[in-house]
Amino acid sequence: MTGFEEKLATLEKLTTDIKRSDISLEEALKDFEEGIKLARGMEKEIEKIEGKIQMLMNQPDKEQNIAPELDLFAGISADGSSGAPAAGTRQ
């Protein structure tokens, strides 16, 4: 069992314990406080995992070398002209 799964099992046990009818107010409050701390830590772990997943999903696929469908800059020279002849000149 991983650390996250163990924490989830502990959180579920705390939730069940708080719902018991024979638990004292002090015990319920202690379990509630522990559960809140545990849940916040787990939330941070989930956010880190989500960030890692987003990074992986946004990485370009190195195996597929797909050329762009439209090359907007094809035919433009370094000086920015499109290669058309100047006015009044023939090619």
Side-chain angles (χ1 to χ4, degrees):
M1 191 179 268
T2 68
F4 188 85
E5 291 170 335
E6 290 172 357
K7 290 175 186 175
L8 184 59
T10 302
L11 188 58
E12 289 172 347
K13 182 184 180 316
L14 289 169
T15 303
T16 302
D17 288 348
I18 289 172
K19 293 178 183 178
R20 289 189 351 239
S21 60
D22 63 335
I23 191 170
S24 70
L25 182 60
E26 291 81 21
E27 287 180 61
L29 182 59
K30 183 181 78 86
D31 286 351
F32 179 77
E33 189 175 358
E34 184 180 344
I36 291 294
K37 289 177 184 176
L38 193 57
R40 286 182 179 154
M42 293 169 67
E43 186 175 23
K44 288 179 183 177
E45 286 182 54
I46 289 172
E47 287 172 1
K48 286 180 185 178
I49 291 168
E50 287 175 341
K52 191 177 235 183
I53 289 171
Q54 285 297 323
M55 283 178 41
L56 292 171
M57 293 297 292
N58 291 328
Q59 284 182 350
D61 191 355
K62 294 178 182 175
E63 291 180 15
Q64 293 182 354
N65 206 359
I66 302 172
E69 292 181 29
L70 177 62
D71 190 358
L72 297 176
F73 301 105
I76 297 178
S77 64
D79 66 359
S81 68
S82 62
T89 61
R90 291 187 172 176
Q91 276 192 340

